[in-house]
Amino acid sequence: HVQLVESGGGSVQAGGYLKLSCTASENTYSYCMGWFRQAPGREREAIAAIELDGITDYADSVKGRFIISRDNAKNTLSLQMNSLQPEDTAMYYCVAERLLVGFRTCGGTATVTLFTNRGQGTQVTVS
């Protein structure tokens, strides 16, 4: 299984920004990737996904504020988070899943929380 390590979390004031990064232990060319978050007492929320060809998908809660991107040459996934609000406070997780043979799409945010490879998470706190 690919190992994922997130970085870039922290504490910011409302309206601020952060950029999360995720580094994979192996080549990511064949992996569907995404981010989900989880706040205490709440369910996991898939917030962003990116296909192998770079097509992106976002949850309505972050659309227009967050940008997901990938750099397969560096085995990295990023999440630029702008206009952060207190409700964005959560632990953020990078996830990845190898695209199954016979499938042409990763499925967008609908499948992110099902991915089996997950990082340890990075905390984002907005006050």
Side-chain angles (χ1 to χ4, degrees):
H1 292 282
V2 62
Q3 294 184 359
L4 305 169
V5 179
E6 302 98 335
S7 61
S11 297
V12 296
Q13 293 186 335
Y17 62 90
L18 284 172
K19 185 174 183 177
L20 305 183
S21 295
C22 172
T23 301
S25 61
E26 62 184 67
N27 192 292
T28 55
Y29 283 97
S30 62
Y31 281 89
C32 305
M33 303 190 79
W35 295 89
F36 76 84
R37 65 187 181 186
Q38 188 165 24
R42 302 188 67 177
E43 293 186 357
R44 293 179 181 180
E45 179 188 16
I47 56 173
I50 187 164
E51 299 279 345
L52 273 63
D53 60 3
I55 293 176
T56 58
D57 186 36
Y58 299 94
D60 288 343
S61 58
V62 305
K63 195 172 296 183
R65 299 188 299 125
F66 290 11
I67 300 171
I68 186 173
S69 60
R70 65 192 297 166
D71 186 340
N72 291 330
K74 297 181 179 179
N75 300 336
T76 59
L77 178 73
S78 298
L79 185 68
Q80 177 68 44
M81 306 186 296
N82 302 318
S83 301
L84 284 163
Q85 300 300 317
E87 52 265 35
D88 294 316
T89 296
M91 188 72 80
Y92 284 70
Y93 297 88
C94 167
V95 293
E97 191 71 41
R98 197 181 295 275
L99 183 64
L100 296 176
V101 173
F103 283 77
R104 294 189 295 174
T105 177
C106 299
T109 54
T111 60
V112 164
T113 57
L114 302 177
F115 291 179
T116 58
N117 301 292
R118 188 187 79 180
Q120 82 288 351
T122 186
Q123 178 68 38
V124 172
T125 302
V126 185
S127 58

